Amino acid sequence: MTTQQPSMVSVYEDDPGDPLKTNPPIPHPVPQLGTQPFPTTIAETAPQPNGAGPGTEAFRYWVAADALSRAGQTWAPLVPAGTQWHATVGGALTANLDAGNDLNAFYDRQGLWFFRRTVAGVTVAACESPEVVEHETGHAILDALRPQLFNTASAETAALHEAFGDISALLSSLRLESLRVEVLAETQGDLELSSRMSRMAEQLGWAIRQGHPDAVDPDCLRNLSNSFFYDDPVQLPPNGPASTLSSEPHAFSRVFSGAFLKIVAGIFRQQDLQDQAGLARAAEIAGQLLVDAVVAAPVVAAYYAQVAGHMIVADQHRNGGTYGKTLRSAFIRHGILSLEAATSITASEVARRGAGIAEATPGGSDDQGLTAVTVHGAAYDVTQPLTLSAPAQERRFGIAGSDPAGGTLRPADPERVATSYLEDLFRRDRVHVPEEHRTDTTFVDDNSSRLKTHEIVRSATGEGLTLIRRCFD
């Protein structure tokens, strides 16, 4: 007699939690990984869905599978028809659950890679956190929507990628009714407060704090419940403790993701029912506006402001401007839009520019609309001129972020944005320079354990060198 396979697996809702406050697993239907338009697969062999508990390879497999499936289901109804993974990914996005000994995970246009490490007797596997899996899947989703962002030499576009990853984790977690109920109880309906919804990757954050106490937030990796205020990343330091803002993309991402949490909270307050169903609806509305905006917004120096402006435009197109006050308030509170910028995006101005916005489509070539900027290589330890992809598409709205001292910041020119970004990458030891491209006064440390997110390679034309991205980690 054939034994019927169980239809449920045991998974985490959002994260394992730190070792002092472990979140209990819940039963969930066996995930389906092949669902279009974002099919996924896992490199490791699928175990039997037999209810294995936390810490086992079977449990980690099903947590990762469930998170991959949930992320795909979150974004599928929101993206334009025909959206697919980046061409280099192939038919399905492959997740590798045991990629080595590290506290990290990354997306590299070939797949998703999750690492693990034992810290203070606790094995921390990145694939065992749905939020980490959903974050990395978010990078792949955004790469499908706007491949131009991958190699853009800009702190702000890189930070938007990281914010989109955290937002992917937020929205994917909110697909679960049980988590929505718990978050509403925890916050008493004030979703701007810190909660399981806003705290990203508690366990990974705990593990990093054991060796680097100020590198992450005190109770998680990053918290979307924050008050970080925009400043031009060109003017910010390349690194800093988690309590400060820097140009490092994960740090700077918190400005935008913090505004997004306030948008979800504001849309929720406008729902007829202040319950878990209303929260699900608010998350869906906010996610749709974000997708519309990243598809349409030009890739420019003040990229946050353009995405924010296009979210306001998307709300006018889809909802008749119902959530305009919520959007403007959130972006003003985080300085992403100055007061002048927020009030300039009127219905008449949107109507005047409507044709250009309506023509925006996802995808396109990786370098579409970007401007090549060439800099002297010697200043960066390379032997030939170096080409960067600067964010210089035509602006649709003349808007920018707030000057912390008041008024509107003037965005830096594309060349300044690109060269500042390159310098920060070198100062953070994130660029691999092959031996044949180095000068005699090299400062590249081959013994450094830092993951290199970028690489200097020979230009496709054979003339000079160019900076390309290896991965989002």
Side-chain angles (χ1 to χ4, degrees):
M1 183 176 67
T2 301
T3 302
Q4 185 177 2
Q5 295 295 326
S7 59
M8 307 290 282
V9 292
S10 183
V11 300
Y12 286 127
E13 292 172 306
D14 56 345
D15 189 78
D18 70 47
L20 300 179
K21 189 181 178 182
T22 303
N23 296 320
I26 63 167
H28 209 237
V30 172
Q32 302 299 313
L33 296 180
T35 306
Q36 297 292 337
F38 299 123
T40 55
T41 187
I42 294 177
E44 288 78 5
T45 302
Q48 292 295 319
N50 57 5
T56 65
E57 292 306 314
F59 180 79
R60 289 170 181 147
Y61 180 98
W62 290 116
V63 167
D66 185 64
L68 289 167
S69 175
R70 210 185 314 161
Q73 291 170 15
T74 297
W75 294 109
L78 307 181
V79 301
T83 304
Q84 297 178 335
W85 298 125
H86 189 272
T88 56
V89 169
L93 181 68
T94 300
N96 300 268
L97 306 187
D98 190 4
N101 180 28
D102 200 358
L103 296 174
N104 208 347
F106 64 74
Y107 163 72
D108 68 353
R109 282 191 163 174
Q110 302 299 318
L112 306 178
W113 305 82
F114 299 97
F115 297 79
R116 59 184 67 182
R117 177 174 290 173
T118 299
V119 178
V122 178
T123 299
V124 177
C127 69
E128 202 167 359
S129 169
E131 288 174 338
V132 174
V133 175
E134 291 154 0
H135 172 101
E136 297 305 328
T137 308
H139 281 303
I141 298 288
L142 183 53
D143 199 23
L145 291 169
R146 290 308 298 266
Q148 300 92 336
L149 301 179
F150 194 83
N151 280 314
T152 303
S154 159
E156 207 152 318
T157 57
L160 194 282
H161 240 285
E162 298 301 339
F164 195 95
D166 283 352
I167 291 166
S168 177
L170 172 79
L171 299 182
S172 299
S173 295
L174 288 178
R175 285 185 61 85
L176 295 176
E177 180 179 342
S178 57
L179 187 65
R180 297 195 300 269
V181 170
E182 182 170 336
V183 166
L184 289 172
E186 183 181 2
T187 63
Q188 294 296 297
D190 184 356
L191 299 177
E192 293 186 17
L193 298 178
S194 178
S195 70
R196 282 184 65 177
M197 178 177 77
S198 71
R199 294 187 293 269
M200 293 288 117
E202 291 96 328
Q203 187 185 71
L204 184 58
W206 168 85
I208 292 172
R209 277 196 305 279
Q210 306 314 299
H212 304 278
D214 68 348
V216 297
D217 280 7
D219 57 357
C220 60
L221 190 68
R222 285 181 297 279
N223 199 326
L224 278 63
S225 177
N226 68 67
S227 57
F228 288 107
F229 195 85
Y230 181 88
D231 201 352
D232 189 337
V234 167
Q235 304 298 329
L236 292 172
N239 279 309
S243 58
T244 64
L245 193 63
S246 72
S247 66
E248 197 281 324
H250 298 88
F252 198 71
S253 74
R254 297 174 296 177
V255 176
F256 195 94
S257 60
F260 189 86
L261 178 68
K262 291 176 175 62
I263 289 167
V264 172
I267 293 175
F268 173 73
R269 289 193 293 268
Q270 292 183 248
Q271 298 304 297
D272 293 334
L273 296 176
Q274 307 285 295
D275 60 5
Q276 61 82 20
L279 176 52
R281 178 62 180 149
E284 180 183 12
I285 292 169
Q288 183 66 74
L289 297 180
L290 178 61
V291 167
D292 290 353
V294 297
V295 168
V299 183
V300 298
Y303 186 55
Y304 274 13
Q306 289 295 318
V307 174
H310 282 76
M311 286 184 71
I312 295 171
V313 169
D315 177 57
Q316 291 185 16
H317 283 167
R318 287 187 177 273
N319 311 308
T322 298
Y323 306 109
K325 290 181 180 178
T326 285
L327 292 163
R328 287 179 172 86
S329 172
F331 290 130
I332 288 171
R333 289 169 66 186
H334 282 268
I336 292 170
L337 291 177
S338 67
L339 295 172
E340 177 187 17
T343 56
S344 70
I345 308 172
T346 62
S348 60
E349 177 70 3
V350 171
R352 188 169 72 84
R353 299 179 180 273
I357 297 169
E359 291 169 1
T361 56
S365 64
D366 288 9
D367 59 354
Q368 185 178 24
L370 302 179
T371 296
V373 170
T374 301
V375 298
H376 293 295
Y380 302 99
D381 181 40
V382 297
T383 57
Q384 299 178 55
L386 182 60
T387 299
L388 312 172
S389 296
Q393 290 188 311
E394 183 178 353
R395 295 175 183 276
R396 187 166 291 119
F397 297 105
I399 55 177
S402 291
D403 186 329
T408 302
L409 276 174
R410 180 184 178 128
D413 66 81
E415 182 173 356
R416 178 74 179 101
V417 169
T419 55
S420 172
Y421 180 67
L422 175 65
E423 185 167 332
D424 280 358
L425 286 175
F426 274 108
R427 292 194 290 188
R428 290 194 291 266
D429 191 21
R430 303 293 257 173
V431 184
H432 172 67
V433 182
E435 186 72 36
E436 64 268 26
H437 301 323
R438 300 182 192 177
T439 66
D440 293 335
T441 57
T442 181
F443 50 75
V444 174
D445 182 4
D446 289 327
N447 296 318
S448 169
S449 61
R450 291 282 285 169
L451 174 70
K452 303 300 189 286
T453 58
H454 290 73
E455 183 175 8
I456 304 296
V457 300
R458 192 169 300 282
S459 171
T461 64
E463 299 181 4
L465 305 173
T466 190
L467 176 75
I468 64 168
R469 178 180 285 279
R470 283 178 163 184
C471 65
F472 276 103
D473 73 324

